[in-house]
Every structure is written in structure tokens, then in C-alpha cells.
Amino acid sequence: MPVFQELPLLGTERINRAYLRISVMAPELAEKCRPGMFFELKAGLPSQTRRLFKPISVFEASEGKISFLIKVVGPGTRALAELKPGEPLLLLGPLGNSFHLVKGQNALLVSGGIGYPPLAWLKRVLEPHNRVILVHGGSCAEDLFPCDRGYTLDGSSGDRGLVTQDIMDIIKTENIDIVYSCGPLPMLKALQACVGDLPHYASLEAYMACGLGACHGCAVPVGEGWQRVCKDGPVFAASLIRWEEL
Ligand code: FES
């Protein structure tokens, strides 16, 4: 059972105006992390006491260090961004399941916006045993991170357009065997419509209250029933998701 921990922030690395990477040293927790898992995070400052925790995917866990990519979108993430090294970070996790790992495959990873971190880490984990292509898209140049093919809606970096626009071509020309994804719902829906019968593992984003499987506030239609993104996911076999009900 994951427990809340308070750890001193190890460091902050500003990526650009909107994004930064924060990290903590937590060898025991890092050992349990797998690509796809997430933590509930909150700045451990008196001003944040009444604020809800934010579910944030693990960007990387290695050599005892866990890092997260934060996009500043409101007061909670701004407080995380303004934490100084040594100030307290409250964490609960690692939570959720992780991506199914394969060997000897041509894997296509597709991410949108802040869906990038789990797939960037998954790429590094899959690469020794597979051929991996990471395709990433965002609104503008600030949303673009290192990848094999990038797209922005405004054309300020990479190709102009949606990250899903060339997927059918990529699947065919690169002989793709398996697809992994994380990003906004419209992107995931469009992607699932492109992949046909290929195995596709999608990490879903959802509003979360408890983050522990207790409130059912994050339930999504999967198979014959409903499953909780925080506890049964966030990674699901995309073929089992009833996309039309989302
Ligand atoms: Fe409460 Fe998922 S957030 S069950």
C-alpha cells in the first residue's frame, strides 16, 4: 500500500517557459517505478495545505532518483515549479499499472502534450530490445521535446498539424507491430481509429480525487464494465476501451 512521504526536492531544471523537470532522491520508491506509473504530488508548503494533490507521471526513475516533467497550468503546478532544492515535496506512489513490455518488435510510441514523459521513459526501456519510434505533438514549439518526429498545431516547430495525421503511413512504412500512447482523449481516439488490429496500449488521463481506487471518480468504460484509471490503469489495452462512450 503506497504511503505519503515528504522528501526534500533534489533539484529543478527549467526546460522552457511552460515546463520544468523536478526530481527527488528516493531509492526505494525508484526501484518500484515502471514506465506508465504516476505519483500524486503536492508542494509541502503551508500555503498548499488545502490544495489537492496532482497526478503526475514518472518521467524517469533510475539510480535512486525519480523525476517528473511539470507543466505549469495553475496554482498547484506553479507551487511545484517554485519549490527550491531542499524544500518539501509530498508524494504518494508509485500508483497505477505500467506499459506492457515486449522484445523483438517494431514499436510506435505516440504522445501528445504532457503525455510525453511516460513514453519518453518507455522508449529508453524498450530500445535495447526493440526498434522504437517516438512521435510527439503539441500546440507550439514549447510543447515539443526530443523525439523522432514532431508536430505542432501552429507549425512553429516540427511538421505543422496533428500528431496522428501520418500515423497510417508510419505504421505501413515502418512495419509497426505494436503501438503505445499517452495524451489527450481526442488524440487517443483518433489514434485508435488508425491502428486497426495492432496491439495498442493507451495511457488515459482522467480527473482524479482519491487516486487510490476508492472514490470511482476516475472510472472509464472498459470491456463489459467500468475500470478506474488510477487503480486499474492508467494503461489499458485500447481495443477494450469503449471509446464512443468517452
Ligand atoms: Fe478515486 Fe480513481 S481517483 S478511484
Side-chain angles (χ1 to χ4, degrees):
M1 178 73 177
V3 290
F4 284 100
Q5 300 211 16
E6 183 177 307
L7 295 170
L9 191 78
L10 185 64
T12 296
E13 180 194 344
R14 178 60 73 171
I15 308 285
N16 58 39
R17 225 162 18 121
Y19 293 88
L20 67 149
R21 180 179 180 142
I22 63 171
S23 54
V24 288
M25 190 54 82
E28 279 183 26
L29 295 181
E31 191 67 30
K32 296 178 189 161
C33 292
R34 301 286 179 272
M37 291 180 170
F38 66 97
F39 279 76
E40 293 277 0
L41 294 188
K42 184 163 86 162
L45 301 173
S47 62
Q48 301 299 305
T49 308
R50 300 173 67 141
R51 204 167 292 291
L52 291 174
F53 280 78
K54 296 267 172 217
I56 311 263
S57 296
V58 177
F59 191 11
E60 180 154 36
S62 69
E63 296 171 3
K65 192 166 93 173
I66 307 174
S67 58
F68 304 92
L69 188 69
I70 307 283
K71 182 177 189 182
V72 179
V73 289
T77 45
R78 189 169 312 116
L80 287 171
E82 289 172 355
L83 271 184
K84 306 269 182 306
E87 287 187 326
L89 179 69
L90 293 172
L91 308 90
L92 176 66
L95 300 171
N97 64 0
S98 56
F99 286 106
H100 173 69
L101 301 180
V102 293
K103 285 187 175 169
Q105 306 278 292
N106 293 328
L108 174 62
L109 281 50
V110 184
S111 60
I114 195 64
Y116 178 79
L119 293 194
W121 187 24
L122 178 65
K123 184 178 198 284
R124 290 191 289 276
V125 170
L126 288 177
E127 265 174 344
H129 311 288
N130 302 274
R131 196 165 69 84
V132 185
I133 299 168
L134 172 58
V135 178
H136 177 69
S139 301
C140 59
E142 279 188 346
D143 293 325
L144 222 52
F145 307 108
C147 60
D148 300 304
R149 201 150 163 182
Y151 295 82
T152 52
L153 293 179
D154 66 1
S156 54
S157 186
D159 293 346
R160 180 191 293 270
L162 296 169
V163 68
T164 47
Q165 67 191 24
D166 299 322
I167 291 296
M168 280 176 158
D169 279 351
I170 296 172
I171 286 174
K172 207 186 286 176
T173 55
E174 302 292 342
N175 248 332
I176 295 300
D177 302 304
I178 186 165
V179 178
Y180 298 89
S181 63
C182 185
L185 187 56
M187 182 206 99
L188 298 179
K189 280 184 172 182
L191 181 62
Q192 176 60 10
C194 295
V195 303
D197 293 334
L198 287 178
H200 172 198
Y201 292 93
S203 178
L204 298 187
E205 295 170 351
Y207 171 76
M208 288 185 194
C210 72
L212 293 168
C215 73
H216 289 254
C218 63
V220 289
V222 177
E224 299 291 301
W226 293 78
Q227 296 201 359
R228 298 156 298 180
V229 172
C230 69
K231 186 83 177 170
D232 307 308
V235 179
F236 296 94
S239 60
L240 298 180
I241 298 170
R242 304 199 304 275
W243 294 99
E244 67 287 356
E245 294 179 37
L246 279 171

